[in-house]
Structures are given as structure tokens and as C-alpha cells.
Amino acid sequence: MFRKWKFIFLMILSLILLMGCGRSLEDRATGGIEAAREAFFANDKKPTEQTDGIRYYKPAGFAVTEDSDAQNIVFTKGTDTYILFINPNEEKDSKLFYDLLKAEQSNEIMEESTFEEAGNFGFAAIVKSGKDDFELIASVGGAKMTTVAKKRNMETDLGKMMEIVRSVEQD
């Protein structure tokens, strides 16, 4: 009987310790912004795909849907959907999408950061969009990519998204 209670006590203690060791939402958000920063400054992805005169990098595992056009390119990966918005009137140093994000009063921005290098302006942001959902945004100039994600996907999603928007080239 004592061994049974001892085993149950150790299992409960182990579960409590494991739950306490998980990364917090703030740590994941900071990691996501840092992944976007690294992708922005690495700028090592060359365009591999083209849609209506827009060239861009498509990471492994991503697919582009049939209903994509020159202004809205829709990516999927598993059950997740990512939308790449292209504004052909904006240059690589444009702050339009960032200004729009900041102007929207209803946005609950959890974390954001801006990046500048060699005439390119970019930013990454995490906006709370529901109880457990977050809108992830990565943008460089006139290209902006968004998705809705759970907190566990923030780091990998924002890094891939920044790789894509950083690679966008227009005719």
C-alpha cells in the first residue's frame, strides 16, 4: 500500500514539474520575433517559384493554392494557411503595412520588432486574435504574410514567413 501511494505521489510531482518547465507564451513570442530577425538579416533565400510575375521562395512542405494571384498568394502547410499580400506600388523600404498595424486600435499586439538593412524595411509582429490563437505577421516593404497560429508554432512560422517575404521580387 505504501509503495502505491509513493508511486502516485512521484507521478503527480513529475507532472507538476513537467508542466512548470514548458516555455511561457512570452518566451515563445520573443523566440518567434528573434527567428524573424535572423531570417531578415540572413536574406539567404532566393526565389524558387513564380505566380503572375511575382517571384518568391517556397519552403519545403509548403504548397501554393490554385486560387492565388499576383496580389494574394495563398500557401498551405498541412492544415495551416498562410496568405502573402503583395502591394506592387510599394518599394522595399515602405512602412505602409507597419503603419497600418500600428494605426489599428483594436489590435492587441503582444510583441513586435522592426528591421532595416540596405534600403529594406521589415517587421514581425504577434497579435492576439482569440483565446489561444495569434495572428503572426512578417513583412518587408510591399510584401506581407499572415497566418493564424497556436503559440507552439510561433518560432518556426515567423522564421519561414520572413524568409518568404524577404525573397519576394516583382517585375
Side-chain angles (χ1 to χ4, degrees):
M1 180 81 160
F2 177 71
R3 285 186 179 199
K4 188 176 187 179
W5 285 106
K6 186 176 167 183
F7 176 75
I8 292 172
F9 175 75
L10 289 174
M11 288 300 291
I12 291 172
L13 183 62
S14 297
L15 285 173
I16 291 171
L17 288 174
L18 285 175
M19 289 183 350
C21 293
R23 293 182 61 200
S24 70
L25 177 59
E26 291 77 19
D27 288 344
R28 290 179 188 267
T30 301
I33 297 295
E34 188 56 36
R37 176 187 317 280
E38 289 172 12
F40 179 85
F41 287 109
N43 189 26
D44 61 350
K45 301 300 180 189
K46 301 297 178 210
T48 58
E49 299 286 324
Q50 182 170 327
T51 301
D52 293 342
I54 305 295
R55 292 178 305 284
Y56 51 89
Y57 166 72
K58 183 177 73 79
F62 282 71
V64 177
T65 65
E66 294 290 323
D67 55 345
S68 297
D69 60 35
Q71 280 77 40
N72 299 299
I73 301 171
V74 181
F75 291 80
T76 59
K77 182 178 181 189
T79 59
D80 297 328
T81 301
Y82 304 79
I83 302 173
L84 175 61
F85 302 98
I86 308 290
N87 185 337
N89 301 319
E90 299 297 321
E91 299 295 326
K92 291 279 192 178
D93 63 349
S94 172
K95 295 182 180 179
L96 174 70
F97 289 127
Y98 183 70
D99 293 340
L100 291 172
L101 172 72
K102 297 299 276 183
E104 182 59 48
Q105 297 295 320
S106 65
N107 283 341
E108 185 181 334
I109 300 171
M110 291 189 49
E111 186 138 357
E112 53 138 328
S113 186
T114 61
F115 323 110
E116 291 187 65
E117 178 186 58
N120 292 293
F121 174 81
F123 76 92
I126 300 170
V127 179
K128 190 159 180 62
S129 68
K131 183 180 178 199
D132 293 326
D133 293 330
F134 302 90
E135 181 181 6
L136 307 181
I137 304 167
S139 178
V140 174
K144 175 179 89 165
M145 187 170 228
T146 65
T147 190
V148 175
K150 303 285 184 196
K151 70 179 180 179
R152 69 185 183 329
N153 299 335
M154 286 181 186
E155 292 145 313
T156 55
D157 283 353
L158 271 173
K160 291 293 182 194
M161 291 165 61
M162 184 58 76
E163 287 176 353
I164 294 168
V165 296
R166 187 74 158 113
S167 73
V168 170
E169 296 176 357
Q170 302 179 45
D171 287 337

